[in-house]
Amino acid sequence: MPEKTEATLIREVLKGKRECFRPLVERYQSKVFVLANGLLGNGPEAQDIAQEAFLLAFQKLRELEDPEKFGSWLYGITRNLCYNARRSRKIETEPYDESYHQHMANVIAMRPPGEEGESITAVMLRRLERMPDKYRDLLRLKYVEDYSYQEIAEMLDLPVDLVRSRLFEGRRILRERMEETRSEEYGR
Amino acid sequence: MAAKGCCTEWEQELVLYGDGELAKDGSERVERHLHKCQECSSFYNEMVREENLISGALRRQAAPFAPRDAFSESVMMALEARSPETVWTRLQNYLHELTVVTYVRTRPHMAAAISLLICLAGALIAPQINTPSEDHYIHVTRNGKVFRVSLLEPIHVWNAEGEFFELPDGSILYATAGTWFSLEAFQEGGGAASVGSDRLISLKSGELFVDVRPAKEAFSILTTNSRTTVFGTQFYVGVQVGVDKHTTVGVRQGRVIVEKQARNQLGSTVLTDGEETHVISRNSKVTLSAPDTIDPELLARLNRFYDARSDRTMQRLEPNLPAIEGEIIPAAADSLETALIPSAT
């Protein structure tokens, strides 16, 4: 039996067959979760937001004008929930912390050669968390699921060209900061 | 500034190549360059190595919480709990489909006229459905004694002394000593005819052991920081009220969904046989723990409840408590409507 299209499933849900909503959840759950995790950087919270996004989508399904655009509409709901969550918990990029920087350089210097990688990872994660939102959101999506530029553009509602340039810029900034860390390490 | 050790003009191409965003001819061009340029090759390998490290770390962070098979089930249960499907919603859907889908495209003016008629009919009919008549009472059995209860106000039970309650839908509650709860459900639907259409209990403090009679409609227990919704199961809800509010939910058999009830804080989990969870409010933050194996002592109490519920002998459940004649107190002292009057029959 061929898989029902999203538009067909949505029409069935609107007719009252709420079980038809389940395949839509199964189809989008991974992407919605990864998007929420990318925007919030917090797994448990991302899972809660993902569930809330589906519940809201169900409640507002009649407002969806074009059933073919269910995916991007759902991503929009997810983004809004994430931005609200960010505002309510007042996420702010941490100020530059020189002592942490020094500490991580020490950790790298003190590790035996075989364990160096783990420290670099920790520094890179910290660097990533300190990036401006516009780069960090994109980089998280790229790194966690290796989505294509087109998919990321759809999830964040951005032009593909902007996704391409921001990913490029973001990575360059990240690399440069890593280079700075290494220079400090060698310079000690 | 280009990356260290990389030909400036190739940097972007290498990033696009690594992301798989180049067409076939572009990829081949990059590969030819990588073969002959040692600097770009080193840069590319280092970039891939670092990105693999960070990618692996981020995936490890996300993995324990990635959606599992239970996710869609959890969404569907939460959906049912939040907006239960009723005959009225089905009728609304049907009418909407009839008017919107059939008429809007062909006869927009007819669609508007029919929608108006439906609204008028609804306005006329709805009050008839929702207004309970004098005959609309339900029967609640408390420690074997039947009470006839009006449906107009919530029915509060203060300081239960270890008692069984049988609700109109056949569900059985056991409230331990000192428990304070109220039956919210059986008046909200607006009459005996709709008993069971919205089964809701509010637990203020203490403990409830519950054996819910399976029904299509959800059965919910609200506490200060949680909502537990079931569709027919045996479970336990306990609330400790203090500086930190602590709700414990344990399941003997069946499935329940436990949701946080907190402003701007979302979260839910599904419990199945032999699992428990905790919802804790501390410093205005509500946390919901992951499902864990039920505490053996709590399971033993649930088993005693299950054994005792058929003959309602509370002594078997809490042997130290003497049975006393219970009394359900109305929500407002001057409201005779809510007084629990022993049934004439």
Side-chain angles (χ1 to χ4, degrees):
Chain A
M1 195 172 155
E3 246 185 39
K4 286 183 179 174
T5 64
E6 281 169 22
T8 309
L9 288 168
I10 289 164
R11 273 196 290 276
E12 299 281 306
V13 175
L14 289 175
K15 280 182 194 169
K17 292 182 184 171
R18 64 170 62 188
E19 255 313 301
C20 289
F21 195 64
R22 189 190 295 271
L24 291 170
V25 176
E26 286 165 355
R27 206 169 286 184
Y28 281 97
Q29 62 184 23
S30 289
K31 280 189 172 174
V32 166
F33 169 75
V34 170
L35 174 60
N37 190 55
L39 296 181
L40 296 170
N42 177 328
E45 194 176 10
Q47 182 138 332
D48 294 344
I49 292 280
Q51 174 165 317
E52 191 59 25
F54 283 110
L55 296 179
L56 259 180
F58 180 84
Q59 280 171 14
K60 293 175 179 285
L61 203 54
R62 286 198 194 290
E63 295 172 20
L64 173 62
E65 288 174 1
D66 182 358
E68 301 293 336
K69 293 183 177 163
F70 176 75
S72 47
W73 179 72
L74 179 64
Y75 297 145
I77 291 175
T78 311
R79 283 195 306 274
N80 284 339
L81 285 170
C82 290
Y83 296 148
N84 286 341
R86 272 180 178 177
R87 273 194 291 276
S88 67
R89 75 182 191 199
K90 291 187 172 56
I91 294 178
E92 288 169 3
T93 307
E94 284 184 47
Y96 183 76
D97 179 355
E98 189 61 34
S99 63
Y100 176 82
H101 204 148
Q102 293 291 341
H103 169 72
M104 287 315 296
N106 286 337
V107 171
I108 291 169
M110 285 161 62
R111 283 199 176 246
E115 295 178 23
E116 184 199 14
E118 198 54 34
S119 298
I120 288 176
T121 310
V123 177
M124 286 185 77
L125 282 177
R126 177 57 75 130
R127 290 269 173 273
L128 179 65
E129 293 311 310
R130 286 181 183 169
M131 300 270 285
D133 290 352
K134 64 177 182 179
Y135 298 124
R136 191 185 56 213
D137 296 347
L138 284 155
L139 287 169
R140 279 213 201 108
L141 288 179
K142 186 68 196 163
Y143 287 140
V144 172
E145 278 299 325
D146 197 22
Y147 287 131
S148 69
Y149 293 179
Q150 182 62 48
E151 284 174 302
I152 294 173
E154 193 187 349
M155 290 166 90
L156 294 176
D157 194 25
L158 295 172
V160 179
D161 287 344
L162 190 61
V163 169
R164 184 182 298 117
S165 61
R166 280 193 185 166
L167 274 174
F168 181 70
E169 278 301 310
R171 281 161 153 158
R172 180 181 267 188
I173 295 169
L174 200 57
R175 274 199 305 274
E176 285 173 1
R177 292 186 179 178
M178 287 306 296
E179 283 299 322
E180 288 167 19
T181 307
R182 287 200 187 90
S183 306
E184 283 172 22
E185 181 191 344
Y186 296 138
R188 289 178 64 81
Chain B
M1 178 184 131
K4 190 179 174 184
C6 173
C7 311
T8 311
E9 68 274 20
W10 283 95
E11 186 182 355
Q12 185 152 19
E13 294 288 295
L14 291 173
V15 171
L16 291 173
Y17 173 72
D19 285 344
E21 294 285 336
L22 287 181
K24 194 180 171 196
D25 55 341
S27 296
E28 287 171 356
R29 204 156 52 86
V30 170
E31 282 163 8
R32 281 196 298 274
H33 179 72
L34 283 174
H35 274 116
K36 61 185 181 191
C37 178
Q38 185 58 43
E39 282 198 350
C40 280
S41 180
S42 302
F43 164 77
Y44 179 74
N45 289 337
E46 181 63 11
M47 180 181 81
V48 169
R49 192 182 81 87
E50 287 190 349
E51 296 205 346
N52 281 342
L53 283 175
I54 198 163
S55 170
L58 285 172
R59 282 178 187 167
R60 276 197 296 279
Q61 277 183 357
F65 313 105
R68 300 159 295 185
D69 295 342
F71 182 80
S72 58
E73 181 64 24
S74 168
V75 170
M76 297 307 288
M77 286 183 80
L79 242 178
E80 183 60 32
R82 198 173 286 188
S83 52
E85 198 173 17
T86 61
V87 173
W88 177 240
T89 56
R90 279 189 216 156
L91 185 64
Q92 277 181 317
N93 285 327
Y94 175 74
L95 291 174
H96 181 88
E97 182 68 16
L98 187 72
T99 56
V100 176
V101 177
T102 313
Y103 279 92
V104 158
R105 286 177 195 155
T106 53
R107 301 177 196 172
H109 57 287
M110 283 293 287
I114 288 178
S115 298
L116 187 64
L117 275 175
I118 289 168
C119 288
L120 284 171
L124 289 171
I125 293 166
Q128 304 297 321
I129 293 170
N130 289 327
T131 307
S133 74
E134 284 302 307
D135 297 333
H136 287 162
Y137 288 92
I138 60 167
H139 291 84
V140 174
T141 309
R142 184 175 192 179
N143 272 354
K145 193 168 183 179
V146 179
F147 293 86
R148 197 168 71 117
V149 186
S150 157
L151 303 163
L152 293 176
E153 295 284 338
I155 302 149
H156 289 262
V157 180
W158 278 284
N159 286 324
E161 296 276 354
E163 297 160 67
F164 279 101
F165 295 84
E166 183 173 344
L167 304 178
D169 63 353
S171 298
I172 294 173
L173 303 180
Y174 179 84
T176 59
T179 293
W180 172 19
F181 70 96
S182 60
L183 302 176
E184 311 276 350
F186 305 104
Q187 43 83 35
E188 279 196 352
S194 63
V195 164
S197 65
D198 186 5
R199 305 179 289 171
L200 183 67
I201 285 176
S202 182
L203 174 61
K204 319 290 184 193
S205 64
E207 300 176 295
L208 284 178
F209 291 81
V210 192
D211 185 6
V212 173
R213 184 177 163 195
K216 192 173 182 314
E217 299 80 14
F219 184 109
S220 300
I221 294 190
L222 287 172
T223 71
T224 179
N225 59 5
S226 71
R227 181 186 185 109
T228 302
T229 305
V230 306
F231 295 89
T233 183
Q234 292 145 14
F235 69 109
Y236 160 94
V237 179
V239 181
Q240 290 168 14
V241 184
V243 179
D244 300 335
K245 294 173 180 62
H246 185 154
T247 300
T248 303
V249 181
V251 177
R252 179 180 184 271
Q253 193 180 70
R255 286 165 77 84
V256 314
I257 180 163
V258 182
E259 293 175 276
K260 282 190 215 173
Q261 294 283 301
R263 205 173 172 182
N264 293 330
Q265 295 179 48
L266 310 166
S268 66
T269 190
V270 176
L271 299 182
T272 57
D273 297 8
E275 289 185 333
E276 74 173 23
T277 188
H278 301 268
V279 188
I280 300 170
S281 306
R282 185 171 295 155
N283 298 329
S284 73
K285 176 142 183 76
V286 181
T287 54
L288 171 67
S289 66
D292 198 2
T293 308
I294 194 166
D295 173 51
E297 193 179 326
L298 177 56
L299 182 60
R301 292 177 75 201
L302 263 166
N303 286 336
R304 285 205 296 278
F305 162 69
Y306 181 73
D307 292 341
R309 82 200 193 299
S310 53
D311 56 8
R312 318 286 152 79
T313 50
M314 56 161 269
Q315 287 81 358
R316 290 172 64 181
L317 193 59
E318 302 283 353
N320 297 327
L321 278 173
I324 67 157
E325 192 67 19
E327 182 187 11
I328 296 183
I329 304 165
D334 57 352
S335 171
L336 287 176
E337 304 292 345
T338 60
L340 201 63
I341 307 155
S343 172
T345 52

